Amino acid sequence: MLKPRQTPSATPTPVSDTHLISSEIMTYNHTDEFRYFEGRRFHNVTKSRYCLPNDETALKQEHKFHETLRTVWQSNFSAPIANMLKKGGVRVLDVGCGAGSWIVEMAQQYPNCHFTGVDLSQLLAREARPENVSFIEANILDGLPFAAKIFDYVHMRNMIYSFSEEEWKFAVKELIRVTKSGGFIELMELDLSLHNDGPISRLLHNGRSSDLQLRGIAVKIHDVIQNLMESTQQFSLTEKQQITIPFGKWGGEIGAQMADGAICCFRTFKMKYSEAIGVEPQEYDNMLESWSDEVDEYQPCCIAYRWWAQKVY
Ligand SMILES: C[S@@+](CC[C@H](N)C(=O)[O-])C[C@H]1O[C@@H](n2cnc3c(N)ncnc32)[C@H](O)[C@@H]1O
């Protein structure tokens, strides 16, 4: 059951996962809005490479990842916009908002600002949206459905499974187009590769990278984003920050959560990834079983990046 919508408050209380669409509500969706594969639900948009599931399990995982990111960064954003948001009257856009964990939390924290979420799929439950949040179903690759220069702050995060390099260029141009002069843009992405990785981590990573590359997805976009932003010559300043995130139980709750998320993804794509690395499905299952011991031994970590910039013109 969905809980009643909470009134926006000024307190920066982390949002719980009650805004997630429950399976009860999901059943109203038309089947052609989604496609189903091996028991998982995916979007059904032809012009999109985005390949992660978007069912209840995936959205819960996404919410946990949101909490992990807030904890490791100790904030929901890095751009110098806190005063502007506190003052109010600010328009914020979140592209690829998913189930809305970031946008709902931000909207509750800054009730005098207006937040717009855009996503390929309607995953942000209407009933759970604070009054200062609106949602538009759209594909950024068709161009954002907004006039130029209308948002003060534009945010896009965790889109590594979504775009080719050319599509990233287009998407970043769209983010810039809809940002006001003097407004800010912020991106956050993970480098999917692990540092201090062991042999199983390396194989699994290779399987995932091969599959993503076959889909035309730019897996090392974190190496390119800053250039891509600076080459538009629309910013006075571009800042890059990075943070190391532990991977595995050795890294406490955060590390355990990161490993859980990865295992879930590696299970979802078992057939694709096992084929890519040339192992039988049973052997792949055994690898996943042994993986948690390996990560405790090697103590790997991954790196998350944030880039923010202020638009000049
Ligand atoms: C991994 S989820 C991240 C959700 C959210 N940004 C977060 O960090 O919690 C990626 C989201 O981007 C959306 N997405 C992928 N490609 C998109 C596109 N071309 N246009 C709009 N949304 C897109 C997906 O539907 C999905 O909800």
Side-chain angles (χ1 to χ4, degrees):
M1 278 287 283
L2 276 179
K3 299 223 172 109
R5 185 174 61 206
Q6 292 178 332
T7 317
S9 94
T11 329
T13 323
V15 74
S16 72
D17 65 1
T18 52
H19 64 291
L20 300 184
I21 294 178
S22 75
S23 48
E24 234 174 286
I25 292 183
M26 271 180 179
T27 52
Y28 86 86
N29 285 310
H30 308 295
T31 45
D32 61 359
E33 198 179 339
F34 300 109
R35 72 199 147 78
Y36 295 82
F37 184 67
E38 292 180 352
R40 304 299 307 268
R41 196 187 75 168
F42 297 82
H43 76 79
N44 196 21
V45 178
T46 318
K47 193 180 159 188
S48 167
R49 297 173 203 272
Y50 182 63
C51 57
L52 294 186
N54 65 13
D55 48 28
E56 201 174 351
T57 307
L59 300 187
K60 283 199 168 137
Q61 203 72 49
E62 185 184 298
H63 181 71
K64 282 193 198 146
F65 190 40
H66 161 73
E67 294 182 321
T68 296
L69 290 174
R70 184 194 343 92
T71 306
V72 295
W73 286 105
Q74 296 180 11
S75 64
N76 276 325
F77 55 85
S78 287
I81 53 164
N83 286 340
M84 182 169 108
L85 290 170
K86 273 184 215 145
K87 223 166 130 196
V90 160
R91 294 184 73 175
V92 177
L93 174 67
D94 185 28
V95 175
C97 64
S101 300
W102 184 89
I103 205 171
V104 171
E105 197 167 296
M106 288 287 287
Q108 289 178 343
Q109 189 170 351
Y110 300 105
N112 298 322
C113 298
H114 190 83
F115 292 79
T116 304
V118 165
D119 202 282
L120 278 183
S121 311
Q122 158 95 45
L123 305 169
L124 172 51
R126 194 179 309 261
E127 296 77 356
R129 270 181 235 156
E131 270 158 23
N132 56 338
V133 174
S134 44
F135 172 79
I136 297 179
E137 192 170 318
N139 181 350
I140 189 174
L141 300 177
D142 291 333
L144 287 168
F146 307 110
K149 300 188 175 184
I150 61 168
F151 293 100
D152 301 275
Y153 175 58
V154 174
H155 177 259
M156 189 169 84
R157 182 179 86 168
N158 293 330
M159 300 296 272
I160 179 81
Y161 288 89
S162 305
F163 305 133
S164 67
E165 196 169 322
E166 279 311 301
E167 289 165 348
W168 269 101
K169 283 185 193 154
F170 179 84
V172 167
K173 280 195 184 137
E174 274 301 282
L175 302 181
I176 295 171
R177 183 182 65 77
V178 299
T179 306
K180 287 180 185 171
S181 303
F184 291 87
I185 290 185
E186 180 160 345
L187 304 177
M188 199 232 77
E189 294 299 331
L190 272 195
D191 172 0
L192 289 179
S193 56
L194 289 182
H195 299 254
N196 298 337
D197 56 350
I200 300 179
S201 298
R202 217 162 302 152
L203 264 180
L204 291 171
H205 175 68
N206 290 346
R208 174 167 58 186
S209 293
S210 311
D211 179 55
L212 293 178
Q213 277 159 358
L214 270 178
R215 296 172 194 263
I217 289 171
V219 280
K220 297 200 70 74
I221 199 64
H222 61 278
D223 283 343
V224 181
I225 285 183
Q226 186 151 6
N227 250 343
L228 211 148
M229 288 170 82
E230 286 172 352
S231 66
T232 64
Q233 301 191 327
Q234 303 242 19
F235 299 113
S236 60
L237 181 67
T238 315
E239 273 277 324
K240 177 181 177 183
Q241 296 176 334
Q242 66 181 68
I243 198 149
T244 302
I245 313 182
F247 213 89
K249 286 199 297 288
W250 68 273
E253 212 178 303
I254 295 289
Q257 161 56 24
M258 291 299 288
D260 264 11
I263 289 261
C264 202
C265 173
F266 289 130
R267 282 212 184 97
T268 302
F269 295 103
K270 171 176 162 180
M271 299 317 281
K272 296 257 180 221
Y273 296 178
S274 58
E275 193 186 329
I277 53 181
V279 300
E280 291 298 321
Q282 181 58 50
E283 198 183 334
Y284 185 87
D285 286 341
N286 297 342
M287 276 168 54
L288 285 186
E289 283 286 308
S290 319
W291 193 38
S292 52
D293 290 338
E294 182 188 284
V295 291
D296 281 337
E297 184 189 340
Y298 283 75
Q299 305 200 339
C301 50
C302 63
I303 298 185
Y305 296 92
R306 272 181 181 172
W307 301 263
W308 63 261
Q310 185 170 27
K311 184 175 170 184
V312 184
Y313 307 108

